[in-house]
Amino acid sequence: MSGYAELHCLSNFSFQRGASSAEELFKRAAQHGYRALGITDECTLSGIVRAWQASKETGVPLIIGSEMRIEHGPRLVLLVENIDGYHSLCRLITLARRRTVKGEYRVLREDLDGACKGLMALWLPDSPDDDATGEWLRDLFGVRLWLAIELHCGADDAERLRGLQTLAQRLGLPAVASGDVHMHARGRRALQDTMTAIRHHCTVAEAGYRLYANGERHLRSIDRLSGIYPPELLAETLRIAKRCQFDLGQLKYQYPHELVPVGHSPSSWLRELTEQGARWRWSEGITEQAREQIEKELSLIAEMGYESYFLTVHDIVRYAREQAILCQGRGSAANSAVCYALGITEIDPSRSSLLFERFLSKERNEPPDIDVDFEHDRREEVIQYIFRRYGRQRAALTAVVSSYHAAGALRDVGKALGLPPDQINALAKCAGKWTDRLPSPERLIEAGFDPESPILHRVMVLAGELVGFPRHLSQHPGGFVISEQPLETLVPVENAAMADRTIIQWDKDDLDLVGLLKVDILALGMLSAIRRTFDLVRDYRGRELTLATIPAKDSATFDMIGKADTVGVFQIESRAQMAMLPRMKPRTFYDLVIQVAIVRPGPIQGDMVHPYLRRRNGEEPISYPSDALKRVFERTLGVPLFQEQVMALAIVAADYTPGEADQLRRSMAAWKRHGGLEPHKLRLTEGMLRNGYTLEFAEKIFEQIRGFGSYGFPESHAASFALLTYASCWLKCHEPVAFACALINSWPMGFYSPDQILQDLRRHNLETLAVDVRYSDWDCSLEPGQGEQPALRMGLRMIRGLREEAGRSIESARQDGPYQSVADLDRRAGLDARSRELLADADALRGLAGHRHQARWATAGIEPQLALFEGIDSPTEAAVALPVPSVAEDMQADYATVGTTLGPHPLALLRPQLAARRCRSSRELSDIEHGRYIRVAGLAIGRQRPGTATGVIFVTLEDEFGMVNVIVWADLGERQRKELIGSRLLEIHGRLETKEGVTHLIAGRLVDLTPMLIGLDVRSRDFR
């Protein structure tokens, strides 16, 4: 027997230890001719699915295992022999991780008693004299225990080898060679040393003996290993590897079954619920088309055994509706008539051309992926219901692997190499928050660094290697894995950082590969805002509104949308969407579906936007390659905009089956990461040529498909989103004050801050009232206004730093009668000094004490009341005449304390100075001709950098009259990055572009005017 199998190897999922990915390790193992490779990350299986994929790609068998240190005991490497061993390892890791905080583990000796079925153990002795530990392990594992000998060219290797072989002989244990591999190649040693320093929170210079003495912990060639280890130790690795027969493909996942009542099977109960839902959805009688679709779906669901999956999602949605939690299924579930009947989604598939195969297909042989959005501040109720329903053993959130980005890598490497904190911060800022690219030499010079510095060069090289490495496991926003059997038999479970949460150790992208069910319980702020708007309208007007009763096809709503008056609404509120709306002028619900989807990277990169707009506006004829494809593209005027249309095209024009078309969709989604589109190019081209289409058309279609990349937007998602888009627009149009109030009470969410929501309200001549302890609740509320619309009363929640407990106390105590004085407020609400000061500074005591200065004086005079005088007001002191704050002082204090002002806009006060600088206001732009070079200035309230913008940044400026959209090309952004990113008041010199009612300013020069704000605390919402 010749060859070698590495049994002890750490990947980069041993966080801050392993310095190579599984892909790199398996490629190097294949180059060296290894017979197998064990991935044995420390007390985790978080990277094992990726190792499994790397094994299949290279042909090198994977041995699954884990290294762990027993508390006050030995270090072991546990290897999985069979499926029982896999279950045992998952349980052991779960036990060790669940008994301590996230990121740590504790394995106790008693954990191994009777819990090692199917596991083989490599013992890594700390000393060649540790007979007692060896005897204990021998009694525990019997013939499944080996003594591992790891030699790394140390000065005492010969003596170490003799000592360990003697120990093995005394105990009657077989010895085996292993490598304690931490990297695929010796060249990663510097990174491994750096990661060790990061892990120990010290510098490399301070790490000392925590660093390895040399770079031998890499995958060494078999010839080199043969010169280090006796042949029998190498041969033993192959005997062990031969016994490790488990493969992740052997896992059998089962759906939960307890949702089925006695007397029903999962299939019959799903049919019963679907029939009940169908009678509700089609109250006037189900259509023949819908009936055929339901029967087709139920038949396929039963054939594939997915009934319990649908019953599980239905149960979750049922609970949410019973608790009056607004929810909405979206995504590919919108393609399903069964999901519509069960109340999971609101999209009627019988009225659309959506492909059910986008949701579920026999060829794909994978469970469907259903996403359900819930109110973002009530989703936790749903999450805890799931944990109660199935228990912690059978339900957990999936993990998300948090990887190093450029800024984080530079920070950690900089600390490890001993850079001072100010340089580390400056270096990280050079990278920015939105890219994994390391900063260019020009940017480093701009920040005061010398790119030729040896230490900086080392930082950049090591950070470049670290970018993309896993840093830690985070919890998915809401992806739940629920199973019939305990989850710990499938995958280890550990505690999340948040209380009352547990997560599995696999990333969400790994679940499909092993066939685990995932239900996405997602949070959507707009659902919270819509529900709050409904509540406000009901309480103020006595009118009950629901998503179903909002009037459809409302002309006023579509008029508002066409004018891009969409600040705060769902999906079409961004500056890019606003720029498109006057050109699209949506008039129907399906127009909104297209509007939601068209301002996306896929259609933009595929060059689909402008042809669609030209055809829509009558600027070019609408044509179709054939009558068959007319049915596919007719609703989008012959231009493919959606993933489903590409699937339908493949079926109609290239003879794909529906399941094969879904594989095309999946290849489209993944090609930028993994490739895989080229085989489809040949297949599509041959099929279209065979069916009479031209080569030119086939090549054009494929380029459009490539343009979709990982950004293609499904029509099913767009349709689900469009429902909420229309609902939010209707509310903004007809109940604008209630809608604005609900947005602020639901914040943080969306693109806009409460200040921008209130500024928009005032631009519509609607009334806003200041924060006042006499009237304000914790949340913003409605009060009778001067016209048909109510006034918005700003809530105590807007006062920065004020605790909700204090705000609720003020609201509650006021129910016993109006406050008479600051002392009365303090006594009844039980406020502390900090709360009183915040109220005074926010001008919330104006009605009780006068302006800000007087209110601060009044609160300073309040002292704790002795028990003897409890309930007795302090004697009234003579009023002190304090100066009234100036308009500018009030404005600064407003922004500092509540983030907005009801007085003049800051730029109204600065307008004379800006006019002297020849800066135009946003109101003047409509009268300026296209192409004119002008200057504007405004508060920088938002910066966006879309993924397809090739470095272009879109900046939104706000002045007293409205907003200005600015385009900053990548080269200017690089040259003037400091002004672009750091300015709060920004002056732009640029060329005005006006087309089809859309106005942009193309920046040519940026000037930072922030000093003119004199300390004004204005904050922007950047890169949302």
Side-chain angles (χ1 to χ4, degrees), residues 380-401:
E380 185 64 23
E381 298 175 43
V382 181
I383 287 176
Q384 293 306 320
Y385 166 74
I386 295 171
F387 278 131
R388 291 194 305 271
R389 187 81 160 91
Y390 300 99
R392 298 276 168 176
Q393 286 192 316
R394 297 171 53 209
L397 289 161
T398 184
V400 173
V401 177

Side-chain angles (χ1 to χ4, degrees), residues 918-920 925 928-937 957 964-969 972 976 987-993 1000-1007:
R918 294 183 294 167
C919 290
R920 305 295 191 102
L925 299 187
I928 300 174
E929 65 272 19
H930 170 79
R932 180 91 172 267
Y933 200 83
I934 63 170
R935 299 181 184 183
V936 299
L957 301 184
V964 180
N965 300 323
V966 180
I967 297 174
V968 181
W969 299 123
L972 177 62
Q976 292 199 264
E987 179 181 299
I988 307 286
H989 301 192
R991 187 181 74 256
L992 189 70
E993 289 198 350
H1000 288 95
L1001 189 64
I1002 308 299
R1005 183 182 170 217
L1006 314 178
V1007 181

Side-chain angles (χ1 to χ4, degrees), residues 410-411 420-432 439 443-444 447-449 977:
L410 287 168
R411 282 188 182 279
D422 59 333
Q423 289 190 18
I424 292 172
N425 291 334
L427 197 56
K429 287 181 180 177
C430 286
R443 186 168 291 179
L444 292 172
F449 292 99
R977 184 175 181 275

